[in-house]
Amino acid sequence: MNQMLFSLAFLAAVPFWALMIVAPTWRLTHRIISSPLIVLPTLVVWAVAIAPSFADFAREMLGPDLAGVRDLLARDGVVAAVWAQVLAWDLFVGRWIYLDSRERRLHPLLMAPLLVLTILLSPIGLPVYFLVRLSAKSPSAVHDVPAGEVVARVD
């Protein structure tokens, strides 16, 4: 059961990653990824996996120490739950990167490998995106009209 939950956590997240990487400009991708609820399927897996150990898990999280966390992580169900939690967090971070990069009009061919890096190693992918972001136009600059330019109004 725990192996199935471990695998299911990945399967719950991968369709959203695929949309952001393979079809980033598709209107439906933006619509789907715009919802923070995309992390819910992975969090449902977390809830099912952690349920048998929830009391011990909650007690340890309220007063964590290394030995107690190590003991919890010796349980397959807790490992599957932590895996689902990591995947949900990575997806949430990837979602923010995707939305921010689209707003800044960063090219999808630049963003695809960065999103893959974020899936694999979000603690590296996120700071790399911050570096890329420094060189990108701010969202307000993308939408601003240059001074002196006349914009025709169509009613």
Side-chain angles (χ1 to χ4, degrees):
M1 172 74 160
N2 291 322
Q3 179 61 51
M4 181 185 75
L5 291 170
F6 185 87
S7 299
L8 188 57
F10 178 75
L11 293 174
V14 79
F16 303 110
W17 284 106
L19 285 171
M20 291 186 287
I21 294 166
V22 178
T25 60
W26 188 32
R27 190 177 336 158
L28 194 53
T29 296
H30 191 273
R31 188 171 176 195
I32 291 168
I33 302 304
S34 289
S35 173
L37 299 178
I38 64 171
V39 299
L40 281 182
T42 310
L43 293 177
V44 167
V45 174
W46 174 86
V48 171
I50 202 67
S53 300
F54 186 75
D56 294 336
F57 183 81
R59 189 171 26 261
E60 187 59 38
M61 294 304 108
L62 291 172
D65 69 59
L66 184 60
V69 172
R70 184 178 341 109
D71 290 345
L72 275 175
L73 290 174
R75 301 178 192 178
D76 288 348
V78 174
V79 171
V82 169
W83 178 240
Q85 182 176 330
V86 167
L87 290 171
W89 173 252
D90 288 353
L91 181 57
F92 195 77
V93 169
R95 173 190 172 272
W96 177 80
I97 290 172
Y98 167 81
L99 293 171
D100 189 70
S101 69
R102 298 301 302 150
E103 196 171 331
R104 293 171 186 278
R105 297 184 181 167
L106 294 173
H107 200 281
L109 291 178
L110 168 67
M111 293 311 302
L114 210 155
L115 286 167
V116 169
L117 179 62
T118 303
I119 295 169
L120 301 175
L121 298 165
S122 65
I124 296 173
L126 182 58
V128 169
Y129 179 67
F130 285 146
L131 292 174
V132 168
R133 192 174 187 258
L134 287 174
S135 65
K137 294 179 182 175
S138 69
S140 61
V142 170
H143 301 293
D144 286 347
V145 176
E149 189 171 313
V150 177
V151 177
R153 183 174 171 173
V154 178
D155 290 332

